[in-house]
Amino acid sequence: MGFPQGFLWGGATAANQYEGGYNEGGRGLATSDVITDGNMNTPRRITIKLKDGTLTSINRFEELPDGAVGYLDPDTYYPSHVATDFYHHYEEDIKLFAEMGFNSFRMSISWTRIFPRGDEEQPNEEGLAFYDKVFDTCLSYNIEPIVTICHFDVPKFLADEMDGWSDRRVVDYYVNYCDAIFKRYKNKVKYWMTFNEINLLNGYTTLGCRKTDDQTRYQALHHMFVASAQAVQLGHVINPDFEIGMMVAYILSYPETCNPADQQEDIDAARNLKHFFCDVQCRGYYPSYKLAEFERKGIVIKKEPYDDEILFNGTVDYIGFSYYNSGVSTSRKDAETTDGNVARVVKSKYLKESEWGWPIDPMGLRIAMNQLWDRYQLPLMVVENGLGAKDTVEADGSINDDYRIDYLADHIAEMKKSIELDGVELWGYTPWGCIDLVSAGTGEMTKRYGMIYVDMDDKGNGNLKRSKKKSFDWYKKVILSNGEDLSK
Ligand code: P53
């Protein structure tokens, strides 16, 4: 048994963290282009211009003051501008992926490369031509592109002029963008995902919204759900063979004890952090618990009369999800917490943590797969997984990332169990940042995930030279054996 024939082995990236070339080829600015670098102790910031013209910056999760807009300050370093420069290295990089044996590669299209402002009717030909070259290179090595249509960025124009996804018009702009790329790449790309980690979006960077309150966020999300459902329907008309998925950050959590109060706490957390998003996109309607919450909190979602029908007819073909770690839910108020990813979570006494405080839990991946499979019976794809760690380049140039190999091997072993013992239908595995790229959370380069090292530091210094880590040869062997040989 084991992994099925034709299983998709690859790696995953995103334009705002990898592509660079931010002002080339007619590309417009995205919200992600005005966010600074940072590190574990210094959060990333957004440069903004106030209504009176003053330049300042705010924490990435803060609200923008009235009338303020994102602003590109020539004296500030923004990691997305060059990132690790896929724009000028795609041939070299894809060749290396092919050498590792990839038969798939997850990447995102930069929306503003195709529609520089976001509201144009006609796409930017130069942008389209760039991705033609990328996909053609992939296909020449029999690498199947897996494309995220929107990964943590919004055209800056739409954010500043329309308040991003809070404005209904953005649904049409997004669908127009999908129409352009679906038609152009209909014979090159089969696998799509509408929005990256839809359950983690909020504020200016990822929603293009100035405000961050529940009312604004849920209204924006409603627009995204509708846009995604429209994209699914449109895509299937353009090419019935398209597989169009959703993408959720699977924030797995366990109740701390068998105390029923912890159990209910965990159910609430799971609904809030992930199930709500999957329920809408996989079942095609809002779940009762969320409607009850809206009622209780006085949140009113403005819908068009045909929205419910669009949602119902635009459910996704598969679920792509990221899985890095698990967390613990507790009803205790005095619990000790760790940084564990999105939310601060209760420390687990059973798990070790990464250097960035993310608990490491390979069995949790199998549990996550089971939960998703049991709830939806839709094919799954693990489109992100991996260990963010500091790497050391030895005097001879080698990089011995045994810790990364251990992490990946343990997670692949659990995926295999889930296929063999649970009968879960898993289509593919694309570990995050197969080549080093900028961290979304901290904006630094030091937090590396790759099997390919890129010479670049937190401030953008470096020659961008690519080199293989120890995990490169290891992953190559894993793929060659279709997941059977995980030995070091
Ligand atoms: P970084 C938070 C929690 C879970 C996933 O994250 C997250 C984030 C955002 O930081 O993002 C996904 O780079 C995301 C990628 C991101 C990756 O996980 O903070 O889809 O863009 O880079 C890893 O270590």
Side-chain angles (χ1 to χ4, degrees):
M1 260 263 272
F3 292 92
Q5 282 310 310
F7 186 79
L8 297 171
W9 293 100
T13 62
N16 80 89
Q17 292 161 260
Y18 178 40
E19 190 177 276
Y22 85 107
N23 61 358
E24 294 178 60
R27 182 183 177 279
L29 287 181
T31 48
S32 49
D33 294 323
V34 295
I35 314 170
T36 67
D37 61 319
N39 55 51
M40 271 233 280
N41 308 313
T42 323
R44 308 184 73 178
R45 299 182 75 78
I46 309 172
T47 315
I48 56 168
K49 187 158 118 185
L50 302 177
K51 208 158 44 179
D52 67 6
T54 317
L55 293 191
T56 180
S57 73
I58 56 167
N59 180 294
R60 183 160 59 122
F61 300 109
E62 261 178 72
E63 301 203 341
L64 267 68
D66 235 8
V69 293
Y71 186 80
L72 202 157
D73 172 9
D75 298 326
T76 300
Y77 172 62
Y78 301 103
S80 74
H81 291 197
V82 175
T84 43
D85 205 25
F86 179 61
Y87 195 71
H88 298 105
H89 291 77
Y90 67 91
E91 283 173 298
E92 179 187 351
D93 291 357
I94 295 167
K95 187 164 180 237
L96 283 166
F97 299 152
E99 191 186 328
M100 253 191 290
F102 282 21
N103 59 5
S104 64
F105 168 52
R106 175 178 177 228
M107 52 175 277
S108 76
I109 293 182
S110 166
W111 187 346
T112 56
R113 221 175 256 304
I114 311 299
F115 290 95
R117 282 159 49 117
D119 67 341
E120 300 91 338
E121 269 171 39
Q122 295 306 321
N124 168 33
E125 173 55 34
E126 226 182 318
L128 288 169
F130 169 67
Y131 294 108
D132 267 323
K133 288 188 289 184
V134 169
F135 298 144
D136 288 342
T137 308
C138 286
L139 296 172
S140 75
Y141 293 109
N142 291 317
I143 292 175
E144 186 93 57
I146 301 172
V147 173
T148 320
I149 298 169
C150 184
H151 190 126
F152 287 175
D153 57 5
V154 181
K156 196 174 111 53
F157 175 85
L158 298 185
D160 293 338
E161 300 297 319
M162 299 181 192
D163 207 35
W165 280 99
S166 69
D167 191 309
R168 178 83 196 192
R169 285 173 293 178
V170 176
V171 174
D172 294 335
Y173 300 141
Y174 175 87
V175 174
N176 193 38
Y177 162 46
C178 290
D179 185 68
I181 57 178
F182 285 166
K183 284 183 177 146
R184 177 76 167 220
Y185 308 126
K186 73 173 187 180
N187 297 318
K188 297 184 182 181
V189 178
K190 172 178 166 150
Y191 296 97
W192 304 87
M193 274 170 277
T194 50
F195 293 103
N196 184 64
E197 293 186 338
I198 191 158
N199 55 326
L200 296 190
L201 313 179
N202 201 2
Y204 183 80
T205 315
T206 52
L207 290 180
C209 299
R210 249 196 335 268
K211 292 170 73 179
T212 57
D213 60 296
D214 277 351
Q215 174 65 46
T216 307
R217 174 165 174 257
Y218 282 116
Q219 183 65 58
L221 282 168
H222 176 71
H223 292 148
M224 289 180 133
F225 291 143
V226 171
S228 172
Q230 275 189 250
V232 169
Q233 294 179 60
L234 175 71
H236 288 153
V237 172
I238 293 171
N239 184 347
D241 291 335
F242 276 179
E243 302 286 3
I244 308 174
M246 68 166 296
M247 168 20 177
V248 62
Y250 205 80
I251 319 281
L252 179 69
S253 65
Y254 308 116
E256 186 177 38
T257 69
C258 56
N259 178 350
D262 281 352
Q263 185 64 40
Q264 185 60 48
E265 185 77 28
D266 191 58
I267 290 175
D268 292 343
R271 284 172 168 174
N272 247 327
L273 290 173
K274 55 185 189 277
H275 287 155
F276 162 58
F277 304 83
C278 304
D279 287 351
V280 174
Q281 299 201 277
C282 300
R283 294 175 174 161
Y285 54 90
Y286 278 71
S288 53
Y289 58 84
K290 192 51 85 175
L291 295 175
E293 180 191 327
F294 287 168
E295 178 96 37
R296 198 167 65 243
K297 294 185 176 165
I299 295 168
V300 180
I301 304 298
K302 193 163 177 291
K303 288 186 182 176
E304 297 298 329
Y306 40 84
D307 282 0
D308 288 342
E309 205 181 312
I310 294 174
L311 292 182
F312 198 73
N313 293 321
T315 54
V316 293
D317 299 321
Y318 69 96
I319 303 171
F321 69 101
S322 62
Y323 174 82
Y324 291 92
N325 62 286
S326 60
V328 176
S329 317
T330 183
S331 52
R332 285 190 295 129
K333 299 284 174 262
D334 59 346
E336 188 197 348
T337 60
T338 166
D339 238 341
N341 216 326
V342 193
R344 289 188 68 77
V345 292
V346 184
K347 263 187 187 301
S348 165
K349 61 181 174 198
Y350 302 101
L351 302 174
K352 291 208 180 81
E353 287 159 20
S354 78
E355 291 169 272
W356 272 262
W358 293 18
I360 298 172
D361 180 9
M363 274 181 85
L365 177 53
R366 179 174 168 200
I367 294 167
M369 290 172 65
N370 274 303
Q371 289 182 355
L372 280 167
W373 179 249
D374 288 349
R375 203 169 167 111
Y376 305 107
Q377 284 87 50
L378 281 174
L380 303 178
M381 238 198 274
V382 178
V383 296
E384 281 183 35
N385 171 242
L387 180 70
K390 287 184 191 135
D391 289 331
T392 309
V393 185
E394 305 296 343
D396 66 355
S398 64
I399 299 153
N400 301 308
D401 55 345
D402 294 276
Y403 35 89
R404 186 167 292 111
I405 294 175
D406 291 340
Y407 180 103
L408 295 171
D410 293 348
H411 284 76
I412 295 171
E414 292 296 325
M415 287 193 308
K416 188 168 177 232
K417 279 189 206 157
S418 187
I419 293 169
E420 286 182 350
L421 306 175
D422 308 316
V424 170
E425 187 179 344
L426 182 70
W427 281 355
Y429 180 61
T430 55
W432 178 248
C434 46
I435 179 163
D436 290 345
L437 37 65
V438 177
S439 158
T442 63
E444 61 196 333
M445 274 304 300
T446 310
K447 190 182 188 190
R448 296 172 183 273
Y449 287 85
M451 296 122 192
I452 301 167
Y453 186 89
V454 180
D455 183 307
M456 166 82 112
D457 72 10
D458 289 348
K459 288 290 174 191
N461 307 301
N463 59 19
L464 292 168
K465 200 170 123 354
R466 277 67 174 142
S467 45
K468 298 173 191 171
K469 303 182 194 176
K470 188 173 177 183
S471 53
F472 184 102
D473 290 320
W474 173 82
Y475 192 42
K476 180 176 178 173
K477 195 181 57 172
V478 171
I479 296 176
L480 193 66
S481 69
N482 200 26
E484 290 302 313
D485 185 357
L486 301 178
S487 66
K488 258 202 255 180

